[in-house]
Amino acid sequence: MTPHRRRLGAWLLAGVVLAVVLTLYQADRTGVGEHAAAPSATPTAAPSGTDAPAPSATPSPSATPSPTPPPGTAEPSPSTSAPASACASPGACGFPDAGSTGPRIALERHDTGNMSVKKDGTVIKGWDIRGSLDIYANDVTVIDSRITSTNWWGINLRPGFSGLKVLHTAITAVPGKGPDNGGVNYAVSNMGGSSIEVGWCDISVFGNALSMGQGDLHDNYVHDLVAFRNQGGEWQHTDAVISGGGNKGRLILRHNTLLNSTPVDRGATAAVGLFADTGVVSSVVVDGNWLAGGAYALYGGGPGATGIQVTDNVFSTQYHPAAGAYGPVAAWNAGGAGNVWKGNRMSDGRPVTPEPTS
């Protein structure tokens, strides 16, 4: 073979090799680009042994749009303590329940009957009382205790005395054994002339559980009120909190769970009943509570009520779709001096706006 033919053969072989290399290179580039651009049809499984999060069964509340108020309804002001997401139950949403209220220590049984407390500064702690307490003294504290009553009340502060504190205590009664035709009326009653404090208490059975015109009621769990007929044979009205008006001090209800599961045809009135029975309702704060049940969950004091602040409460649908049998709120005086309605919502996220008063 001549040198010329050998050189021509080498060039032809080099050209073939170069063509093959260029073809493979172009195919490789095209495959990479297509893989990067095409979305995966199914999610990639996590390697065994890794801590990949499980997919959420329901969308995050932040991904759900906020409910739109009905036409003509003002948008509620943003709530700082009650976000506009749905709430399933009081305890799951940070409100008091059986696990966060009541005594924190072991108790010693005391069969006191109706016991009168007459020494100022008395502290009752760690008692499991079968009976009730009638307070004729100042600055009495009941703490980390249990009261099971068959009397008209569990604890009653008498007129002329002040400074009562009831903390971390369970207060209940024996259904059918009370003096009011088998019923019992007041878990804590403030007949005194000043504010009292009731906090972190588990309260049940009594028809009107917390009865007072002034006080600081916080972090309590009121539940399982028991219907009964009074001595006149009529169904007793039931309320988790009741105030008859005419108070000179302030009533504060903050961060309580207030439930009234009593049927309406057996006397249910409200979770919070502010009534002008003995005078004008004024100076009341209802803030950050879980409210459920009653004819209406909240009675707002009526036409003359002033200084009523109802803010950031959750009106629960657990007994009725509208919180109360007939609605969430009645007797709200929107034009009263100092009255504020803001940030209140249903447990399913809907805003709550009172109906106009006629």
Side-chain angles (χ1 to χ4, degrees):
M1 182 181 291
T2 65
H4 176 74
R5 285 184 175 180
R6 285 198 297 272
R7 282 196 299 272
L8 179 61
W11 281 111
L12 287 173
L13 179 61
V16 170
V17 172
L18 180 61
V20 170
V21 170
L22 289 173
T23 300
L24 292 174
Y25 175 71
Q26 182 64 27
D28 185 61
R29 287 182 68 243
T30 303
V32 171
E34 289 175 353
H35 176 73
S40 175
T42 57
T44 303
S48 176
T50 63
D51 294 326
S56 174
T58 56
S60 167
S62 62
T64 305
S66 300
T68 302
T73 302
E75 187 78 32
S77 300
S79 167
T80 56
S81 61
S85 57
C87 264
S89 66
C93 297
F95 291 90
D97 61 8
S100 59
T101 57
R104 303 164 294 179
I105 60 176
L107 306 180
E108 178 184 351
R109 179 158 173 165
H110 291 260
D111 294 310
T112 65
N114 182 29
M115 175 180 170
S116 294
V117 178
K118 297 185 176 181
K119 181 180 179 181
D120 289 352
T122 297
V123 176
I124 295 174
K125 182 176 183 179
W127 285 26
D128 186 355
I129 295 171
R130 300 300 194 274
S132 60
L133 299 177
D134 213 359
I135 312 297
Y136 293 88
N138 298 310
D139 303 319
V140 172
T141 298
V142 182
I143 186 169
D144 286 316
S145 295
R146 180 187 305 278
I147 296 171
T148 305
S149 175
T150 56
N151 201 355
W152 295 90
W153 58 80
I155 301 175
N156 182 32
L157 180 65
R158 290 289 180 170
F161 299 95
S162 63
L164 174 65
K165 294 184 178 182
V166 185
L167 309 172
H168 296 286
T169 293
I171 309 171
T172 190
V174 182
K177 300 294 184 180
D180 198 356
N181 199 24
V184 286
N185 295 72
Y186 312 109
V188 182
S189 172
N190 181 9
M191 300 174 67
S194 69
S195 180
I196 69 174
E197 181 183 2
V198 182
W200 304 286
C201 290
D202 183 326
I203 299 170
S204 59
V205 178
F206 293 90
N208 288 296
L210 297 171
S211 175
M212 61 196 69
Q214 53 192 319
D216 181 6
L217 313 180
H218 62 88
D219 301 289
N220 300 294
Y221 175 44
V222 181
H223 59 101
D224 293 308
L225 307 184
V226 174
F228 65 93
R229 296 182 188 271
N230 61 22
Q231 292 182 332
E234 300 169 332
W235 287 109
Q236 172 73 18
H237 287 251
T238 60
D239 304 87
V241 175
I242 186 170
S243 178
N247 53 296
K248 295 181 173 61
R250 171 166 284 197
L251 177 62
I252 300 173
L253 285 64
R254 182 167 282 128
H255 197 241
N256 303 281
T257 297
L258 304 173
L259 310 180
N260 186 353
S261 60
T262 309
V264 174
D265 61 359
R266 294 193 175 191
T269 306
V272 175
L274 307 178
F275 304 112
D277 294 336
T278 57
V280 173
V281 179
S282 63
S283 193
V284 180
V285 173
V286 183
D287 176 64
N289 302 279
W290 177 283
L291 310 177
Y296 291 89
L298 171 70
Y299 281 81
T306 59
I308 316 298
Q309 301 175 31
V310 182
T311 56
D312 296 335
N313 298 283
V314 175
F315 288 77
S316 171
T317 61
Q318 66 193 91
Y319 303 131
H320 308 287
Y326 306 128
V329 56
W332 173 252
N333 180 18
N339 290 352
V340 176
W341 184 278
K342 184 177 70 173
N344 302 294
R345 64 181 178 90
M346 300 294 293
S347 56
D348 59 14
R350 291 174 290 151
V352 176
T353 302
E355 295 290 334
T357 55
S358 54

